[in-house]
Amino acid sequence: MSTTQSERLRGLLEPLVSSQGLDLEEIEVDSVGRKRVLRVTVDSDEGADLDQIADVSRVLSAKLDETDAMGAGEYTLEVGTPGAERELREHRHYVRAIGRLVKFQLAEGGEVVARILKVDDEGVDLEVPGVKGRKATARRLAFEEIAKARVQVEFSRKDKKEEEA
């Protein structure tokens, strides 16, 4: 997708997504044969449920139908959330990932897998899990030290309620 088309679509759709109480995270246009697919990723601090996704999808579809933003050809609109293993790019993404296990690729090389405990304007406070029976350790990463960060899926994590019992 060209930058101008992306900017134009963002300018058109972002106010509509915001009016539904959500953040517009990403816009992507892919060609699939003769058709195009417009993928719109939305989220909020509380997450987005299926009803919110359906509502925003209807609003975006109506707006796109009344404009020529996607051109004259056929396209499919897909609206969804970032998914379980989302990449953290913006400050709000880190805040939403508090309590989650994240794999950090460091700017200097190497990586750290740790749980986000706290986020502020300069960086993140982490709990690095202990290995082979050792205790977890605290670590601080400034945002400048992070090249890439991605939430990790945990299948065996205890729920906070279970931990408190």
Side-chain angles (χ1 to χ4, degrees), residues 27-65:
I27 296 174
E28 180 184 344
V29 177
D30 286 327
S31 293
V32 181
R34 293 183 180 171
K35 292 185 180 181
R36 291 170 300 147
V37 178
L38 171 59
R39 290 186 183 91
V40 178
T41 306
V42 299
D43 202 7
S44 77
D45 291 345
E46 297 79 34
D49 63 30
L50 289 175
D51 290 335
Q52 289 174 300
I53 299 291
D55 290 344
V56 79
S57 182
R58 280 190 289 277
V59 169
L60 297 183
S61 181
K63 186 63 161 183
L64 289 165
D65 286 349

Side-chain angles (χ1 to χ4, degrees), residues 21-23 25 43-48 91-93 95-97:
L22 299 170
D23 296 319
E25 296 293 347
D43 202 7
S44 77
D45 291 345
E46 297 79 34
H91 186 271
R92 70 176 181 257
H93 298 163
V95 171
R96 291 174 184 163

Side-chain angles (χ1 to χ4, degrees), residues 10-146:
R10 181 169 286 278
L12 179 70
L13 303 179
E14 194 157 30
L16 298 170
V17 171
S18 295
S19 74
Q20 300 294 308
L22 299 170
D23 296 319
L24 177 60
E25 296 293 347
E26 195 172 340
I27 296 174
E28 180 184 344
V29 177
D30 286 327
S31 293
V32 181
R34 293 183 180 171
K35 292 185 180 181
R36 291 170 300 147
V37 178
L38 171 59
R39 290 186 183 91
V40 178
T41 306
V42 299
D43 202 7
S44 77
D45 291 345
E46 297 79 34
D49 63 30
L50 289 175
D51 290 335
Q52 289 174 300
I53 299 291
D55 290 344
V56 79
S57 182
R58 280 190 289 277
V59 169
L60 297 183
S61 181
K63 186 63 161 183
L64 289 165
D65 286 349
E66 71 183 42
T67 68
D68 67 345
M70 287 299 292
E74 285 187 45
Y75 70 92
T76 301
L77 173 63
E78 294 179 359
V79 180
T81 57
E85 291 187 353
R86 76 170 305 161
E87 186 174 344
L88 307 178
R89 295 187 191 127
E90 298 186 35
H91 186 271
R92 70 176 181 257
H93 298 163
Y94 287 91
V95 171
R96 291 174 184 163
I98 290 174
R100 303 285 308 272
L101 194 66
V102 175
K103 182 177 188 177
F104 297 91
Q105 291 181 352
L106 305 177
E108 294 179 354
E111 62 185 40
V112 174
V113 177
R115 191 166 312 283
I116 296 178
L117 299 177
K118 183 180 171 194
V119 178
D120 59 32
D121 291 340
E122 286 81 41
V124 293
D125 291 336
L126 307 172
E127 179 184 70
V128 181
V131 180
K132 296 183 181 175
R134 294 187 179 165
K135 283 184 146 185
T137 56
R139 181 161 182 185
R140 170 113 179 129
L141 285 178
F143 287 120
E144 303 86 54
E145 297 176 82
I146 302 169

Side-chain angles (χ1 to χ4, degrees), residues 115 157-165:
R115 191 166 312 283
R157 181 173 179 215
K158 291 182 180 178
D159 189 11
K160 287 182 182 179
K161 292 176 186 173
E162 290 178 30
E163 290 174 0
E164 292 170 1

